[in-house]
Amino acid sequence: MTDSIIHTEKLCKRFAGPKKEVVEAVRDLDLDVAKGEIFGLLGPNGAGKTTTMRMLCTLLSPSGGKATITGFDLARQPHEIRRHIGYVGQKGGMEHVASGRENLMLQAQLYRMSKDEARRRSNELIERLKLTAFADRKTETYSGGQRRIFDLASGVIHSPQLLFLDEPSTGLDPQSRARVWEEAKVLHEQGTTVFLTTHYLEEADALCDRVAIVDQGRIAAIGSPAELKKQIAGDIITLGYEDETRAKAAFQLLEGQRVILEKHDLGTSLQLYVDRGDEALPEILRIVGQGNYPAKSVSLTRPSLDDVFLKLTGRSLRGDGGQS
Amino acid sequence: MRDAYLIAMNELRVTIRNPFWAVSSLFQPIIYLLLFGPLLNGVAASRGLPGGDNAVQFFAPGLLVMNALFAAGFEGFTLRDKLDSGFIERLRVTPISRLALTMGFILQSAINLIIQSIALIVCGAFFGLHFDIGGSILLVLLIVLIGITMSSISFRLALIIREGGILAGIVNTFVLPAMILSGIMLPISFGPPIIQFIAKFDPFLYAVDASRALINGAIGDPSVWMAFAIFIALSVITLGVFIRGMREAVA
């Protein structure tokens, strides 16, 4: 694709593990992100999201494959790429004892703006993002949310074509998260392509035009949130149990039932994919009831991205792999 | 090079803003002048010091070298902190060249040392130090070379060592003996032959000798060109090693 702003072919990254074994963090990644998209990499920690992003924004050199970012070759023209991209890392990277404004000034000048230009652009962003109240305080006094908005401002100081956001809302309160989302949407409307990583399903769902679900260094599925959810036909019935033994016993009772399209044992709960939940539910409850393993709790839901992830990888995104 | 200057100015502004900066960096040398100077006066009176019986004249120029040893030797902490906070990472995605980033840190360390050295000479004057202007300018230049050497080593170590405590331990292990053997505190000629022999391998010995010559304006003293030769070589080598390390660590 020539109109994609990110294009990768068989991009991979191998690290030496603690015991000198080879860890394949990213394997044969083929990806195309179109201009103007908000594209999300969704997956648990350790799935290779951040490694992928660090490669794409010239921080980490790939072990193999190739990539074109904003029309330039990643291996040969990283310097050109850097002019056109913005990056907001997980740590932000603000100078703690300098003010937010000073941080922006430095960033602007590193993008070859004159002092006057830098001042004008910093003021403009500070006003637009409503940061005036604390722009001249040291950044070490900022709240997580305030700091993150400043990080964002510093990432777009040079109006990049492509903005990378690494876990933009991790550790933020819901209000700050909403603000980050709002700003990402504004940038999107202005034509900026946004590439983000997240392990929040809500974030991918609410923000992204397309999502790639990554697991163990590979893309498991790619598409719009709606498309991905469509892969799971019908409804999901979740049965909760007191303990794993009872759940397992009920799981065996449900073996071979034709109404169940697919089922997963999640420890103390069972997840059942069915065509029509309203019709299947009474039948399923009857079976586990008669088998002396009635469920402690029951829920009937429409599929979420979590269910897509579960279906693709056999593991839940919320459970073990969620937070670090 | 504008980028290196921007980085250096940013670092300096941040350093100077720290209220403890001025106090903490000059605290140690001033304490030496205040408390150790009088002790040394006693030594000068009873045993005599090379270069006369004025202890400050003997001791103060060495303090400049000592300050460079410690201040620049611990610069690695600054870099470690910047690596951990994501600051370096943020800069690496901007178009700034890796060399400019590296030189920015060296430059701020050098400017820092120049300010401190001038302040020390002025302080020394209050304690009765006589200084030759031309010689002192050369002395500050020598201090800068020592600073580049020490900060390059310290920065290079900070790229490998993630733990601040270990970094401090390593730096102290080398700086302390180097300082004592340089004859900053007491003339090496007071020691037994074995110490005198080992001290010959301490590059800072030559720096301290040169610092005493320079403060008195004895620019032609052989210790001066020797110290310059040693530290021009060392600063070039260590800076090269740091630049290479930086290139590998932050590709």
Side-chain angles (χ1 to χ4, degrees), chain A residues 68 83 122 138 141 145 163-164 194 212 251 257 320:
Chain A
T68 315
R83 288 176 202 285
S122 305
K138 289 179 186 174
T141 64
L163 176 65
F164 289 96
V194 180
F251 191 78
Q257 289 299 327
D320 52 320

Side-chain angles (χ1 to χ4, degrees), chain A residues 14 17 27 41 48 60 72 93-94 107 114 127 133 147 160-161 183 202-204 217 226 233 245 253 281 283 292 296:
Chain A
R14 289 178 289 269
R27 316 179 204 200
L41 285 183
L60 199 62
F72 297 100
M94 285 279 165
Q107 186 87 355
S114 72
E127 257 170 59
R147 190 170 298 147
Q161 300 174 24
E183 286 313 324
E202 301 81 4
E203 188 157 73
T245 354
L253 279 177
L281 189 56
E283 171 72 3
N292 257 335
K296 196 181 86 178

